[in-house]
Amino acid sequence: MSSVRGQDAGRKKRIAEVVGAQIEPITRFRTSDLKELSSDLESGAELVVTTRQRVDLDIETAVCTGRLPHGISARPDVATIEAELQQRLATAESAATARIQQWATEEPGRYRRLLPTGTFFSDLPNETIGTEWACATCSQRGRLACAGCAGSGAQTCPDCQGRRHGACRQCRGLGRLACGVCEGRGQVQATAGAPGAPEALVPCTACRQGWLDCAACEGRGEQDCPRCTASGRIVCPDCQGQQELDCPDCAASGWHHQWGRLRERLEVEDLLEVHHPDPAVAAAITARHADVTTLDEVCTLEQVRYTTAPLAVQAVQRLRLPVRQVRLQVAGQPMQFTALGPSLEIIDYQQVAAVLLGHDLDTLEKNVDGSGRHLGEALQRFLQSPLNLDIAARKPLADIDRQYPGMVDEAYRTRALQSAQRAVERLWLQRVRRPRLYGLAGIGAVSALLVAFGSPHFGVASASVLATGLGIAAWVGADWQARRALALSLQRPGSDRLLRPLRQSAVVRRWQLVSLAAAVVVALAGAAAMTRLPHVRQQVEQRQADTALQQQLAVWLGSDDKDHRLRHYPTAEVLVQALARPPVDPRIRLVRAWQLLLGPDGVTPDPRGAERLLDGLEQDPALAHAVVLARARATLWLRSRSVSALQATATALEELPQPPSPEALYTLALVQLTPALAARTGGLSAGIATLQQAADTGHASACFELGRRLGAGAGLRRDLAAARRYLGYAESKGVPGAAKELAALR
């Protein structure tokens, strides 16, 4: 009975196991995924390696400068050296053939034996011999007389040509310079003379006839040569004054020598022939084992036959390489595998890996372009390959080529990267599509509820903006959750790097923009739909009316019309409704009070109601001026016979900030023209003057009142022309009754 361990040790290794061990680190496939379609077919390839060796024996000589080096045997002359070396070479060549034959018989069964170098002269004299001789050029001195200076060490100065002097650089060899006083003319203008007399010339006292002696050369026109210091000779630049130069032939040694010896070289050439019934297998073996030096490690040496020749030997070695072939089913495809040698070296297993990787890539591309129902599973299978994971994670190409040499080409890397990115984008879209739809529904609902229950505080625009903002915030959270869930579902280290391109993905950005546009449309649609509800419509209309009222109030307060009676007032109904809805804007109370005091547009005057509306408005600085004027008008209506009330009103009007407004002047004039106050103050002159001042500022009602008094002569002299002018202005401004008064004057 044999043990289990003994059975495992004796079991023959299967090709499927070897293929699986090679593809597992690269692809997602395992040995169990490979199905054998046939049993192993064993055969052998016959390899013939022809090793040719040639011994090259020749003489090596060299001629050098200097004395013969120590250790070289001296000979009398060159001829003796050549004769001795030729004799040695002939002896070595005659003995080489016998030695090669003897070597071939020593170990005839060893693979690719090489001739031992350096042994052909081991028992023959092969010492280096040489001879030396004196240099004929320098006569053994090692130095030669300098040709540049003829051995004198000096040369004629090239600047002065040996004359020791040269032309003066200051005067250029003339020995004199032009006078700077008279500019070389020899005469100058006289300094004294009668006014208007012609100019007189006198000899120049600074020179002689316009010239001065050159101070540099003292009038000689020459200077000492600075290069040779007036010696006419310079140091020879060739020998630097040494008078001699090193001999170039013997390198200043004075000697030459020549040495010689025999040289041995071995030339080796290998030829490989492979014989197998399958030409593809033979070609694969030839390609994989171009270097024949290690064939004996995987092959069995069967025969070695030597053939010798003079100075050459040829060894024909026959080897047998075990070959096993089997058909395996790989990714649903039958493939033929060939293993070489006892270690089962698989031929071109990169092709197998490429087929498996391409199968997963094709499956991934079909799911990306198809329905996408099984896209997650296809991507997980694709990323189970470490190589595909590195490509999808954008690992540097240099690192991929270094780790997986020759596995895939550039086209595969491009396809794999694009497909992985598209798969991640589509998976992301699948995970965020449902939250996006829920988000759109929520945005529409929130927008509608805000309008339905938050009106009039929330209109269509504000509700849409708020709902869209809440929806975007929810989408951001859903997006983060989708990315996190997608990274966890991939179950691969470094899977977060696969999701980084989503930030710059055009597909993701386009989807986000479309979602944002849809959110805005849904929010607006939901809010607009709620505006059709009766109570919402009523609230919207009320808000629109309030907005219009606020605009009218702002126009009334900011109007440049000097006459308050002619300003544009909101309708009495609108003001009454606004007063009934607390809190009441103080401006509404003020405008309604003026409306009740002046009665524009057919409104029935109610001075007491106006006075009640004015209570407490003096606290607002922006309305204080208009409130004082309104109280004065109420006093004219209610207390026109009370002198004290009229005097207090006049005092309050006079204390208003200067300059007074036209309405303040007109109101003060009306107070001063009341019979009770006029009787107390002694006449109408003060009131007429104030009325005249108000009319001159362009106050239409003041012009009407002044024109009426001028036409009737009430309180002042009658002036029909002035009356027509003032009444005409009042009529042009639309003062009620102005046209009738003007017609009465005509």
Side-chain angles (χ1 to χ4, degrees):
M1 180 181 296
S2 61
S3 64
V4 176
R5 180 176 299 179
Q7 292 177 359
D8 292 341
R11 183 174 60 87
K12 183 183 294 185
K13 196 172 186 180
R14 297 167 49 240
I15 295 180
E17 297 175 358
V18 179
V19 174
Q22 292 176 344
I23 66 175
E24 282 182 0
I26 304 173
T27 70
R28 68 175 179 86
F29 292 89
R30 298 296 178 261
T31 304
S32 58
D33 298 328
L34 304 177
K35 181 180 180 182
E36 293 185 358
L37 301 180
S38 65
S39 59
D40 291 0
L41 176 62
E42 298 185 6
S43 62
E46 182 181 355
L47 282 68
V48 179
V49 179
T50 303
T51 303
R52 297 172 180 174
Q53 304 181 61
R54 180 179 178 276
V55 179
D56 183 15
L57 302 177
D58 61 355
I59 298 174
E60 180 183 9
T61 61
V63 178
C64 306
T65 60
R67 301 297 298 266
L68 190 66
H70 179 72
I72 298 179
S73 300
R75 297 293 185 270
D77 52 30
V78 175
T80 303
I81 294 176
E82 292 178 352
E84 184 176 346
L85 291 177
Q86 288 292 341
Q87 183 180 1
R88 289 184 186 181
L89 179 61
T91 303
E93 289 179 347
S94 62
T97 302
R99 294 193 177 188
I100 290 175
Q101 292 177 350
Q102 180 183 358
W103 171 85
T105 59
E106 290 177 354
E107 295 181 73
R110 191 156 62 92
Y111 174 71
R112 202 174 178 274
R113 290 175 59 219
L114 299 181
L115 289 169
T117 58
T119 61
F120 289 96
F121 306 128
S122 59
D123 56 351
L124 296 176
N126 191 25
E127 61 178 343
T128 304
I129 58 177
T131 185
E132 62 182 7
W133 62 92
C135 179
T137 304
C138 62
S139 301
Q140 200 177 340
R141 294 178 61 250
R143 297 180 67 81
L144 298 173
C146 178
C149 61
S152 64
Q155 293 182 358
T156 303
C157 178
D159 289 356
C160 65
Q161 301 298 324
R163 296 175 56 249
R164 299 186 298 175
H165 304 288
C168 177
R169 293 184 177 86
Q170 189 73 18
C171 63
R172 300 181 183 275
L174 295 177
R176 57 184 181 174
L177 298 172
C179 178
V181 178
C182 64
E183 298 179 353
R185 294 193 298 269
Q187 294 179 334
V188 295
Q189 183 180 355
T191 56
E199 296 181 356
L201 298 177
V202 298
C204 178
T205 59
C207 63
R208 295 192 304 272
Q209 297 181 356
W211 295 95
L212 296 173
D213 291 338
C214 177
C217 63
E218 297 179 353
R220 300 193 310 271
E222 291 183 336
Q223 286 181 316
D224 293 343
C225 178
R227 183 170 183 178
C228 64
T229 62
S231 65
R233 306 277 290 176
I234 62 172
V235 176
C236 177
D238 297 335
C239 64
Q240 302 298 324
Q242 299 297 322
Q243 302 178 356
E244 291 182 334
L245 296 174
D246 292 341
C247 178
D249 291 346
C250 63
S253 64
W255 290 87
H256 296 275
H257 72 271
Q258 179 176 338
W259 58 266
R261 63 188 175 193
L262 294 184
R263 181 179 60 183
E264 171 189 347
R265 290 185 302 177
L266 179 63
E267 299 176 357
V268 181
E269 179 185 9
D270 291 312
L271 300 177
L272 173 63
E273 297 180 14
V274 180
H275 303 281
H276 190 271
D278 189 347
V281 174
I285 295 174
T286 303
R288 296 181 71 88
H289 295 286
D291 183 9
V292 301
T293 57
T294 59
L295 275 179
D296 57 331
E297 299 177 1
V298 295
C299 299
T300 302
L301 181 62
E302 296 183 343
Q303 182 185 7
V304 180
R305 187 178 70 252
Y306 289 98
T307 303
T308 61
L311 300 179
V313 62
Q314 174 178 291
V316 179
Q317 301 144 112
R318 295 185 179 276
L319 303 96
R320 182 175 180 81
L321 178 64
V323 178
R324 291 171 59 184
Q325 294 177 300
V326 67
R327 289 177 61 83
L328 300 178
Q329 183 173 350
V330 180
Q333 300 181 16
M335 297 186 65
Q336 180 81 19
F337 290 90
T338 302
L340 305 177
S343 61
L344 298 183
E345 182 182 3
I346 304 299
I347 296 178
D348 198 13
Y349 78 93
Q350 290 91 343
Q351 181 181 1
V352 182
V355 171
L356 297 176
L357 294 173
H359 177 268
D360 285 346
L361 180 57
D362 293 339
T363 303
L364 179 62
E365 289 177 340
K366 290 179 182 178
N367 280 271
V368 170
D369 298 330
S371 62
R373 294 178 56 188
H374 305 289
L375 180 58
E377 300 174 3
L379 181 59
Q380 286 185 1
R381 287 197 301 269
F382 177 78
L383 295 178
Q384 285 178 3
S385 165
L387 174 58
N388 287 336
L389 180 60
D390 290 341
I391 293 176
R394 299 176 182 270
K395 192 174 182 179
L397 297 181
D399 296 343
I400 294 178
D401 292 337
R402 189 183 308 110
Q403 188 174 357
Y404 310 100
M407 288 293 105
V408 293
D409 55 7
E410 183 64 28
Y412 178 86
R413 284 196 292 261
T414 303
R415 283 181 56 202
L417 181 60
Q418 293 177 352
S419 299
Q421 183 174 352
R422 291 173 57 201
V424 171
E425 291 173 352
R426 186 162 183 183
L427 287 174
W428 178 83
L429 292 176
Q430 291 177 357
R431 291 181 178 273
V432 300
R433 182 177 288 112
R434 184 171 297 177
R436 289 294 164 101
L437 295 177
Y438 292 160
L440 287 176
I443 288 173
V446 170
S447 178
L449 292 175
L450 287 175
V451 173
F453 297 100
S455 181
H457 301 290
F458 286 101
V460 174
S462 58
S464 300
V465 170
L466 181 57
T468 303
L470 294 176
I472 292 175
W475 280 345
V476 170
D479 184 17
W480 177 83
Q481 184 66 26
R483 293 172 188 256
R484 185 170 178 270
L486 183 57
L488 293 176
S489 66
L490 295 178
Q491 299 178 353
R492 286 291 175 271
S495 57
D496 55 332
R497 290 185 295 174
L498 301 177
L499 305 181
R500 291 177 185 173
L502 288 177
R503 301 173 183 174
Q504 291 82 25
S505 173
V507 175
V508 174
R509 290 185 177 180
R510 182 167 58 251
W511 175 259
Q512 291 174 344
L513 292 176
V514 171
S515 300
L516 179 60
V520 174
V521 172
V522 170
L524 291 174
M530 290 298 102
T531 57
R532 298 181 178 274
L533 296 177
H535 74 282
V536 174
R537 182 181 300 176
Q538 181 180 0
Q539 291 175 349
V540 171
E541 292 175 353
Q542 183 62 50
R543 184 168 185 176
Q544 293 175 350
D546 292 343
T547 302
L549 177 59
Q550 295 295 328
Q551 294 176 352
Q552 291 176 345
L553 293 176
V555 170
W556 190 91
L557 292 173
S559 175
D560 56 356
D561 200 329
K562 302 173 183 179
D563 191 347
H564 283 28
R565 181 184 181 86
L566 301 180
R567 291 187 177 184
H568 296 285
Y569 286 82
T571 62
E573 181 181 0
V574 171
L575 290 175
V576 171
Q577 292 178 356
L579 290 172
R581 293 192 306 272
V584 180
D585 189 345
R587 298 179 300 172
I588 298 177
R589 294 169 56 189
L590 176 63
V591 174
R592 176 58 177 167
W594 275 100
Q595 190 179 51
L596 294 176
L597 290 171
L598 301 180
D601 302 326
V603 176
T604 303
D606 183 4
R608 294 192 180 278
E611 196 171 35
R612 287 193 298 270
L613 291 173
L614 294 174
D615 290 341
L617 295 183
E618 295 88 346
Q619 305 301 325
D620 192 342
L623 306 179
H625 184 275
V627 171
V628 172
L629 298 181
R631 286 195 177 278
R633 288 298 186 97
T635 301
L636 290 175
W637 276 94
L638 301 175
R639 289 175 285 279
S640 60
R641 296 182 180 181
S642 174
V643 176
S644 60
L646 293 174
Q647 286 180 342
T649 300
T651 302
L653 292 173
E654 291 173 352
E655 291 177 352
L656 290 175
Q658 298 296 322
S661 64
E663 185 66 28
L665 291 174
Y666 176 62
T667 304
L668 178 60
L670 294 180
V671 173
Q672 292 174 344
L673 291 175
T674 55
L677 190 60
R680 175 64 64 90
T681 58
L684 302 175
S685 59
I688 294 298
T690 304
L691 184 63
Q692 179 73 46
Q693 186 179 358
D696 291 343
T697 61
H699 193 281
S701 295
C703 291
F704 170 74
E705 182 65 24
L706 183 60
R708 188 179 63 80
R709 287 180 176 272
L710 287 172
L716 70 169
R717 185 174 59 85
R718 188 179 185 188
D719 187 347
L720 295 180
R724 291 190 185 94
R725 186 171 66 255
Y726 282 110
L727 289 174
Y729 178 79
E731 180 188 17
S732 65
K733 291 295 184 179
V735 176
K740 182 178 179 181
E741 290 291 337
L742 185 60
L745 291 178
R746 295 173 181 171

